[in-house]
């Protein structure tokens, strides 16, 4: 439990920073005079943490979990200080990049460490706790950020990391001091790491620019896309010839690993996108203030860890993971369709649908991770766990970018987004101001009606993406968890014979 406490603190730090700044972005942009660049305060962290996550997994297999996790916490803490002291938007964005480089190791290495210290038959239960912490932090981040900024200043969303990180570092250093380090010699594939980081950064920045309203035909966008594709193509060639590759490509050829990483990608595509789009819908369409919009996410926030807890317990009892993944993947698209057609002002039906969605997502988080860990040998535990964390982060980054891009396109197509906004405002900010400004009631009503139709179309598109998961899970070949009660019973029967 001491180990778990430190690891959950580390995961809390990494997940919280992905969303805690969302609500206070306008305040930050106003104080630092950077409306044009404010979206990068979130994107910089997401891109940086996503890129380095698999690299941290590989390094933890080579150098040991304790050393790599300690480095990650220290880098994250120093970057948090730089964020809190930022005096300009470029300085804050640079500090957020450094924070993401540290935060990328917090989640993946912590989850790999649980794989080292907890047997598989109990791992589902503990991974359920961890998945719950991750999900709650991701969804509660905007609420916490809003209240810190309201009662103190926006800088406290970064200062609050210092005591938490210090406690996590002390606990991790003490609790993991006896954890063994791989005894075999390794050659770290530095060219592969640089190619992977550079190529993926190009693609993620390209998607992020689309989500901010830039045209894919701009010279900068085309250059980023080509550079990203070329970098990843060379990375694949490098990994096939490397003695000790950063990401063993044969690992992705394992059907269980490939399917679980894909389903986790889709889960977090939905989770992070909903954490951004639902509050926006509550405000623009429903007219709710920011704090009420954030609080209306609480049912979804609480249902996710409860679903993860149920999933972990069921895996511990039965040694099976496929039924849990299948149930969650079937229910999730149905719940998202429900969100599309439940009126935003109907609080109780909306609450019920969010609870169902949260439970369905929660069922899939620990079951997908434990299934992946069960399919690989112990010496590849770190990189396999990192691949699942990478899939989640990538799903969140792609989900926000793609769905925001579609939302902007739908709003522009509606015809109500054509009037000029304030200097430095993008389409979403302009629509937000017009819907809540109240200066022209007819214009506000037209904006809300167009926004409601756009959100409905967006949720239906999101549900269509979720339909991929059940078809993949049905192809999953289930193997009883190592050390599970089912396996123990078989062993006992064999011994009796």
């Amino acid at each position: 439990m001491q180990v778990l406490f430190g690891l959950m603190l580390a995961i809390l730090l990494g997940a919280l920073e992905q969303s805690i700044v969302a609500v206070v972005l306008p305040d930050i942009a106003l104080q630092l005079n950077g409306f044009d660049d404010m979206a990068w305060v979130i994107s910089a962290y997401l891109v940086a943490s996503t890129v380095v996550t698999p690299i941290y997994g590989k390094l933890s297999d080579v150098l040991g979990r304790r050393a790599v996790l300690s480095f990650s916490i220290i880098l994250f803490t120093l970057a948090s200080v730089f964020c809190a002291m930022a005096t300009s938007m470029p300085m804050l964005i640079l500090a957020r990049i450094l924070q993401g480089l540290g935060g990328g190791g917090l989640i993946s290495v912590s989850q790999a460490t649980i794989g080292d210290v907890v047997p598989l038959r109990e791992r589902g239960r503990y991974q359920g706790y961890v998945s719950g912490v991750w999900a709650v932090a991701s969804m509660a981040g905007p609420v916490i950020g809003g209240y810190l900024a309201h009662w103190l200043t926006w800088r406290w969303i970064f200062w609050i990391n210092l005591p938490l990180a210090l406690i996590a570092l002390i606990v991790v250093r003490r609790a993991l001091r006896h954890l063994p380090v791989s005894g075999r010699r390794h050659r770290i594939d530095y060219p592969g790491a640089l190619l992977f980081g550079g190529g993926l950064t190009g693609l993620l920045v390209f998607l992020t620019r689309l989500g901010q309203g830039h045209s894919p035909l701009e010279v900068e966008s085309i250059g980023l896309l080509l550079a990203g594709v070329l970098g990843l193509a060379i990375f694949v060639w490098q990994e096939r010839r490397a003695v000790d590759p950063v990401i063993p490509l044969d690992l992705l050829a394992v059907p269980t690993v490939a399917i679980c990483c894909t389903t986790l990608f889709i889960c977090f595509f939905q989770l992070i996108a909903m954490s951004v789009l639902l509050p926006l819908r509550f405000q623009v369409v429903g007219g709710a203030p920011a704090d009420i919009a954030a609080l209306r996410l609480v049912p979804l926030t609480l249902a996710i860890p409860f679903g993860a807890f149920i999933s972990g317990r069921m895996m511990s009892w039965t040694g099976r993971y496929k039924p849990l993944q299948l149930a969650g993947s079937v229910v999730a698209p149905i719940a998202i369709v429900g969100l599309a057609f439940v009126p935003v002002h109907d609080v109780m039906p909306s609450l019920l649908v969010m609870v169902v969605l949260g439970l369905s997502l929660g069922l899939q988080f620990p079951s997908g991770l434990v299934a992946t860990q069960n399919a690989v040998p112990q010496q590849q535990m770190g990189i396999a766990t990192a691949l699942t964390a990478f899939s989640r982060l990538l799903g969140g980054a792609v989900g926000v970018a793609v769905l925001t891009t579609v939302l902007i396109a739908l709003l522009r197509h509606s015809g109500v987004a054509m009037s000029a906004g304030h200097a430095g405002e993008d389409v979403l900010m302009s629509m937000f101001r017009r819907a809540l400004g109240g200066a022209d009631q007819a214009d506000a009503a037209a904006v809300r009606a167009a926004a409601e139709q756009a959100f409905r179309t967006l949720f239906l598109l999101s549900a269509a993406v979720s339909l991929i998961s059940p078809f993949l899970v049905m192809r999953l070949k289930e193997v009883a968890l190592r050390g599970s009660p089912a396996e123990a019973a078989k062993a006992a029967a064999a011994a009796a014979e």
Side-chain angles (χ1 to χ4, degrees), residues 182-483:
S182 174
R184 66 187 185 94
R185 295 178 61 86
H186 293 266
R187 292 179 58 188
I188 298 176
D189 180 21
Y190 293 107
L194 292 174
L195 287 167
F196 177 79
L200 189 60
T201 298
L203 286 182
L204 288 177
V205 173
F206 167 77
L207 290 173
T208 302
R209 283 173 55 86
L210 295 185
Q212 294 169 1
H214 291 274
S215 170
L217 300 180
E218 292 180 8
V219 175
E220 294 86 350
S221 298
I222 295 175
L224 287 167
L225 178 60
L226 292 177
V229 171
L230 181 61
L232 291 179
I234 300 175
F235 164 75
V236 172
W237 173 79
Q238 167 67 19
E239 295 305 274
R240 292 187 182 280
R241 59 187 291 273
V243 176
D244 200 355
V246 175
I247 301 178
L249 298 181
D250 58 342
L251 203 61
L252 296 175
V254 177
T256 298
V257 175
I259 290 174
C260 289
C261 285
T262 304
T263 55
L264 287 173
F265 172 94
I266 294 172
C267 278
F268 277 76
F269 181 100
Q270 310 297 346
L271 172 62
I272 303 301
M274 292 301 163
S275 69
V276 173
L277 295 175
L278 281 174
L280 190 61
R281 185 193 186 202
F282 293 147
Q283 293 178 76
V284 175
V285 179
D291 55 345
I292 300 300
L295 289 175
R296 285 192 64 179
L297 283 177
V298 169
L300 181 61
T301 303
L302 296 180
I304 290 173
F306 189 67
F309 174 79
I310 294 174
S311 180
R313 285 291 186 180
M314 292 298 293
M315 282 189 290
S316 295
W317 291 337
T318 66
R320 301 187 63 192
Y321 48 83
K322 184 174 179 178
L324 300 166
Q325 288 179 284
L326 188 58
S329 63
V330 168
V331 173
I334 299 174
I336 297 173
V337 170
L339 285 176
F341 291 100
V342 171
V344 70
H345 296 288
D346 290 349
V347 177
M348 290 307 297
S350 178
L351 182 150
L352 179 62
V353 174
M354 284 193 290
V355 168
V356 173
L357 176 60
L359 290 173
S360 65
L361 293 176
L363 287 175
Q364 298 177 70
F365 293 159
S367 57
L369 175 58
V370 172
T372 300
Q373 292 179 338
N374 191 55
V376 300
Q378 181 67 32
Q379 62 268 26
Q380 291 185 321
M381 183 75 70
I383 183 60
T385 304
L387 281 176
T388 62
F390 167 73
S391 300
R392 293 194 301 268
L393 290 171
L394 187 63
V398 173
V400 170
V402 170
L403 294 182
T404 304
T405 301
V406 174
L407 178 61
I408 291 174
L410 291 171
L411 292 174
R412 282 178 172 158
H413 182 70
S414 68
V416 299
M418 300 306 295
S419 61
H422 291 173
E425 279 188 338
D426 60 16
V427 173
L428 290 180
M429 288 292 291
S430 175
M431 297 283 287
F432 180 85
R433 177 180 56 80
R434 291 166 58 198
L436 300 181
D440 186 339
Q441 293 298 325
D443 180 62
V447 168
R448 290 176 181 173
E452 175 66 356
Q453 184 58 45
F455 278 110
R456 181 169 297 158
T457 303
L458 200 65
F459 288 146
L460 292 176
L461 175 63
S462 182
V465 173
S466 287
L467 285 175
I468 299 173
S469 291
F471 290 102
L472 290 176
V473 174
M474 285 189 289
R475 297 171 59 89
L476 187 65
K477 182 179 179 181
E478 187 172 40
V479 178
L481 295 177
R482 298 193 296 267

Side-chain angles (χ1 to χ4, degrees), residues 13 17 74-85 95 98-99 155 157-159 161-162 165:
L13 288 169
E17 282 307 310
I74 292 171
L75 178 58
F76 178 88
T77 306
L78 292 176
S80 296
V81 174
F82 295 150
C83 288
M85 298 176 64
L98 293 176
Q99 197 180 35
R155 298 182 186 274
I157 65 178
F158 301 112
W159 286 125
N161 291 331
L162 270 62

